[in-house]
Amino acid sequence: MVIVRGSLHDHISLSLKGQRGFLLNSVVDPGEDTALAPDWDWQELEEEALDLLKRMLRVDTTNPPGNEALIIDEILEPLLRREGLEPVVLRKKEGRSNLVVRLSGDGSEAPLLLHGHVDVVAADPARWSHPPFDAVEAEGCIWGRGAIDMKQTVAMQITTLLALHRARVPLSRDLIVAVFADEEMGSALGSIWLAETHPELLRAEYALGEAGAYSVHFGGKRFYPIMVAEKGFVWLELTARGEPGHGSMPSRDNAVLRLARAADALGRRPLRFEATPPMKAFVGALADGLGGPKGAIVRSLLKPIPFRALGRALFPDARTADAFSAMLHDTAAPTMLGAGIKVNQIPSEASAHIDCRTLPGQTTQGLIDLVRRRVGSDIEIEVVAEGAPVHIDGSDPLLDAMKGAIASLDPGGIAVTNLISGFTDAKPLAALGARTYGFSPLVLPEGISFAAMFHGDDERIPVGGFRKGLRVFLELVREFCGE
Ligand SMILES: [Zn+2]
């Protein structure tokens, strides 16, 4: 149980002063706003969130097969019911549960949705320092697959909802928490299915999900990117045809060769450069944050020629350079090949799957035109799956509040908005009309890279960074949803 203490503000708490908006309250300030801001027992809330995180990390929800029901039905649903809440659990397939729970406000403002997924990608224990599903606490971190993608965010979201519920904080808008299955395999059994079949459960003015507000160390500064945009995807199957024949008498009319040339043409360099509005904002803020000559070099990355010339040299490693390049290009990556059944038989057909990613503003047809130009006219192109890019444009009170929250999370940190090259559950929620952001505040020390741990080995979360993140997350949600 959480005890709501008297009236002393914690040193990092954020207070309302007359009007809506974040003001950093850096000194102990007794007596102020006590009706609006419960004085949380942070120690107890943090322990509760850490305990929930560890319980979820100990469940192997590698997708496939996912088995998210082991968390949704056996941990989260009973936990919420014990507190008097009424979670809804829905599944398209046995074992693949999704959960939605709502805390009602007075309806004067539209809902805020917090969302996460509890499936994870595979982990090879041989490559890890600690077993990936034991939630070992060592070296100041909790280790486990899902520690940053993204069971930690789900633990924060659930703890936030429970804290507001127990303290009976009056809300001006509904607070919804949705926990999805199947994000790592494309969300067909999770957010996409739920948004199609039960949109009324998920409709919200704003949605906060993964991939945002963690520390990125760059050029001697700490940046906190809030995700405002994500690329789209277009998954293509290319087919080449040719004259079948015997392998002992090769001809140039060979489907395998034709397909190989097409795949090479696509993979040799990105399809198209564009400095889109979210990237201009992101790179501009990085440049401003760095200042001086470093800032000027970073700003030049918004032009294609300096990007190609400087890109590799500027970044600490090839992986970071590739990640940056992906944010500035429509891309195509050949990922699966198929042709032939016998070594001495030239097949009549060869096919390849291509993972194409589109920048905000690009359409599926525009992407196909680019691919067509690269591969020529004799390759068949079929769209297997697609998802539109997302870009949340302009400012709003929640974005301002998130920037304020980052200032309290790390007073020396710099909040920036950014674009991610992957995709998240934000896509179907944006399609329902929500302004979707990635916001999962976390302070990471310089030696721990978020990007490297995302689907990487030795995924882990610093306990101290998680505690701080929970505090600013709960205060952000309380202030944004509170009356
Ligand atoms: Zn994720």
Side-chain angles (χ1 to χ4, degrees):
M1 208 189 106
V2 167
I3 301 147
V4 178
R5 283 189 285 123
S7 64
L8 273 190
H9 272 254
D10 185 272
H11 70 286
I12 77 149
S13 79
L14 301 156
S15 66
L16 272 174
K17 288 189 177 166
Q19 59 184 26
R20 188 167 288 276
F22 270 82
L23 292 164
L24 183 61
N25 185 13
S26 57
V27 291
V28 174
D29 187 5
E32 188 193 51
D33 299 334
T34 45
L36 287 167
D39 216 347
W40 310 110
D41 184 336
W42 287 118
Q43 183 70 24
E44 190 149 349
L45 283 172
E46 287 161 21
E47 293 306 324
E48 182 180 351
L50 285 165
D51 182 61
L52 178 58
L53 170 61
K54 287 181 191 168
R55 287 176 68 198
M56 292 194 287
L57 287 175
R58 289 191 187 111
V59 181
D60 181 350
T61 47
T62 303
N63 184 10
N67 286 328
E68 296 89 346
L70 296 175
I71 287 179
I72 302 277
D73 301 30
E74 292 180 26
I75 298 177
L76 298 181
E77 188 189 9
L79 168 69
L80 294 163
R81 286 209 184 280
R82 272 200 304 277
E83 301 275 346
L85 290 157
E86 290 174 13
V88 179
V89 175
L90 293 159
R91 61 188 74 82
K92 185 180 184 187
K93 210 178 145 194
E94 200 53 42
R96 311 303 302 273
S97 300
N98 300 275
L99 178 147
V100 184
V101 61
R102 181 180 298 252
L103 211 54
S104 293
D106 67 15
S108 57
E109 294 180 286
L112 168 68
L113 168 66
L114 312 177
H115 63 97
H117 63 84
V118 286
D119 61 319
V120 296
V121 295
D124 174 3
R127 298 174 55 90
W128 282 56
S129 308
H130 300 282
F133 296 103
D134 280 4
V136 169
E137 195 167 340
E139 297 161 56
C141 293
I142 297 171
W143 301 61
R145 175 58 87 218
I148 60 158
D149 180 17
M150 59 171 294
K151 290 173 177 173
Q152 93 290 8
T153 311
V154 174
M156 249 180 222
Q157 293 170 340
I158 294 281
T159 306
T160 292
L161 178 110
L162 287 176
L164 294 172
H165 170 62
R166 290 168 188 155
R168 295 197 169 83
V169 174
L171 304 179
S172 60
R173 56 176 95 232
D174 289 5
L175 176 65
I176 308 166
V177 174
V179 186
F180 297 122
D182 201 32
E183 195 272 346
E184 299 293 359
M185 291 290 284
S187 306
L189 303 173
S191 60
I192 291 177
W193 173 73
L194 208 61
E196 268 170 23
T197 55
H198 297 80
E200 72 288 352
L201 292 178
L202 299 175
R203 230 170 239 127
E205 182 176 9
Y206 296 100
L208 295 184
E210 66 179 318
Y214 48 86
S215 353
V216 174
H217 298 261
F218 184 61
K221 305 262 173 143
R222 286 185 309 282
F223 294 92
Y224 289 82
I226 297 168
M227 192 259 279
V228 298
E230 60 181 54
K231 289 179 81 177
F233 66 93
V234 183
W235 290 343
L236 298 176
E237 182 171 8
L238 304 190
T239 305
R241 297 187 197 281
E243 200 54 46
H246 199 276
S248 64
M249 292 177 289
S251 83
R252 274 165 46 193
D253 186 8
N254 180 327
V256 175
L257 289 173
R258 198 163 278 148
L259 185 83
R261 282 193 291 271
D264 181 56
L266 287 176
R268 203 175 289 170
R269 60 179 200 282
L271 292 175
R272 185 184 68 102
F273 179 98
E274 186 187 343
T276 56
M279 275 307 277
K280 283 183 181 158
F282 175 53
V283 172
L286 283 184
D288 290 346
L290 292 172
K294 270 191 209 166
I297 293 171
V298 166
R299 205 181 300 278
S300 72
L301 295 179
L302 290 172
K303 301 264 187 293
I305 291 166
F307 180 82
R308 282 188 202 114
L310 285 172
R312 303 281 141 184
L314 189 70
F315 296 104
D317 52 67
R319 192 172 172 151
T320 311
D322 288 342
F324 218 85
S325 175
M327 294 189 268
L328 287 163
H329 292 92
D330 291 325
T331 59
T335 50
M336 293 160 71
L337 293 171
I341 50 165
K342 276 189 85 194
V343 68
N344 62 352
Q345 197 178 335
I346 296 169
S348 61
E349 194 181 305
S351 67
H353 285 255
I354 314 290
D355 181 356
C356 301
R357 303 299 176 113
T358 51
L359 291 169
Q362 179 60 287
T363 61
T364 296
Q365 188 54 51
L367 185 280
I368 290 172
D369 292 345
L370 292 173
V371 170
R372 172 62 71 202
R373 237 171 279 156
R374 284 282 175 91
V375 302
S377 57
D378 60 349
I379 301 283
E380 293 162 29
I381 302 174
E382 190 194 336
V383 177
V384 177
E386 61 181 309
V390 174
H391 176 211
I392 305 306
D393 215 355
S395 196
D396 60 47
L398 182 57
L399 184 58
D400 292 342
M402 288 188 286
K403 289 177 179 171
I406 286 169
S408 69
L409 179 72
D410 180 351
I414 300 165
V416 295
T417 57
N418 80 329
L419 160 85
I420 64 162
S421 55
F423 63 81
T424 73
D425 288 319
K427 275 198 195 324
L429 302 172
L432 287 179
R435 289 178 70 82
T436 54
Y437 293 107
F439 188 76
S440 173
L442 173 64
V443 180
L444 287 171
E446 185 150 17
I448 300 185
S449 154
F450 185 84
M453 287 193 301
F454 215 79
H455 297 191
D457 301 326
D458 280 344
E459 187 177 344
R460 61 200 185 277
I461 186 165
V463 174
F466 176 81
R467 287 177 187 273
K468 277 191 198 169
L470 173 68
R471 291 183 183 208
V472 301
F473 192 79
L474 171 52
E475 281 301 289
L476 171 84
V477 173
R478 181 199 58 77
E479 185 159 328
F480 193 68
C481 296
E483 279 179 348

